[in-house]
Amino acid sequence: MAAPEGTLIQSVQRALHLIESVVALDGRANAKELSRAQGLSLSTTYHLLRTLTHEGYLRRLDDGSYVLGPTLTQVAAQDRMAAVLTRARPTMHGLRDELRAPVYLAVYHDGEIAVVEIVDSPKVPSIDLWVGIHDSAHATALGKCILAAMSEADRADYLARHPLHQLTQHTVTDRQRLESEIHLSPRLAHDDEEYAVGVRCVAAPIVTTDLTGAVAVAQRRATPRPTREDHVAAALQRSAARMQRTFALPQAG
């Protein structure tokens, strides 16, 4: 149901339409172009542009033109991530129930690797991430899987910014050895007590045109009747492929 005309705030409408005009004008426009596009006086346009720039929805370049700002980019990224998690959860729940193990989803975004979702249960509790994965990707199956899926340039940049800290006696801290391991296992990555003593983890990559991530399951070595490794690998790869297909589908408008 449309809102009554009296409840609409015209200045907010005009500001939103200015953002739309920046996008329509190939993502970059000056005040005069925006003024003409929206039929506004130049003084009103400048007033709205100053407000939008102050709040980060637009950014003013040195030549006086305007582009989309960091606030708008962050809002779009959060909306995108919410959609990714909504699509991922059903498959993650199924994988948890099949393997009786907690399931983790991590993605590479803005130069960092981060866990964005964990699916566990009282019967299969998650394993605490006592060190943030952004500081320990080299020691986790999730991180190694994503590093393997990156371009050479992105991987070199990431490793240059993140020292290979030793978390356990099994952690790989030699960069050449780490890169060799990554290249040898592009379809599955393993962490055998490299992140935490007594914990083993296996991960499979999820790569689409606009997302680089990985899904993993973790198991404690002391788990009674652990699932066979070949079963874990098959279930993980099957789930990763399903999530990859789901993420690649267009979002409903």
Side-chain angles (χ1 to χ4, degrees), residues 16-227:
L16 293 172
H17 292 160
L18 279 179
I19 294 173
E20 292 173 355
S21 289
V22 171
V23 175
L25 293 166
D26 296 325
R28 182 171 179 171
N30 60 41
K32 290 183 179 179
E33 291 171 325
L34 293 169
S35 173
R36 286 195 299 268
Q38 290 300 321
L40 300 173
S41 69
L42 196 55
S43 61
T44 297
T45 301
Y46 274 121
H47 175 72
L48 293 170
L49 289 173
R50 278 195 298 271
T51 302
L52 289 168
T53 301
H54 179 268
E55 296 300 325
Y57 288 94
L58 292 178
R59 182 163 63 93
R60 188 177 185 276
L61 303 181
D62 291 341
D63 64 359
S65 60
Y66 294 83
V67 297
L68 297 183
T71 300
L72 198 60
T73 303
Q74 290 167 10
V75 169
Q78 290 170 357
D79 182 63
R80 164 68 178 159
M81 186 52 61
V84 164
L85 296 182
T86 298
R87 294 180 176 201
R89 287 184 185 116
T91 300
M92 294 177 71
H93 279 274
L95 185 60
R96 176 203 62 190
D97 294 342
E98 179 179 355
L99 299 181
R100 300 187 301 278
V103 180
Y104 302 77
L105 176 67
V107 300
Y108 175 65
H109 178 67
D110 281 347
E112 298 296 337
I113 296 172
V115 172
V116 293
E117 184 65 312
I118 301 173
V119 171
D120 60 0
S121 73
K123 291 185 177 180
V124 286
S126 61
I127 294 159
D128 291 337
L129 299 174
W130 62 280
V131 176
I133 191 172
H134 59 280
D135 288 326
S136 59
H138 64 287
T140 67
L142 282 166
K144 288 189 280 188
C145 209
I146 292 175
L147 286 169
M150 287 182 190
S151 68
E152 294 285 347
D154 283 344
R155 182 164 59 250
D157 170 71
Y158 184 91
L159 293 175
R161 293 183 290 107
H162 297 81
L164 305 184
H165 299 296
Q166 183 163 5
L167 305 182
T168 75
Q169 63 178 340
H170 303 288
T171 307
V172 176
T173 58
D174 178 77
R175 178 165 170 174
Q176 187 173 358
R177 181 182 166 192
L178 176 67
E179 296 213 41
S180 296
E181 182 182 335
I182 286 170
H183 286 300
L184 287 173
S185 54
R187 296 185 62 203
L188 283 177
H190 296 80
D191 151 24
D192 194 354
E193 298 190 281
E194 295 171 47
Y195 177 82
V197 174
V199 176
R200 301 177 67 183
C201 190
V202 187
I206 302 169
V207 181
T208 67
T209 54
D210 56 358
L211 181 142
T212 300
V215 59
V217 293
Q219 293 181 317
R220 290 178 173 84
R221 277 193 171 276
T223 302
R225 294 185 302 167
T227 308

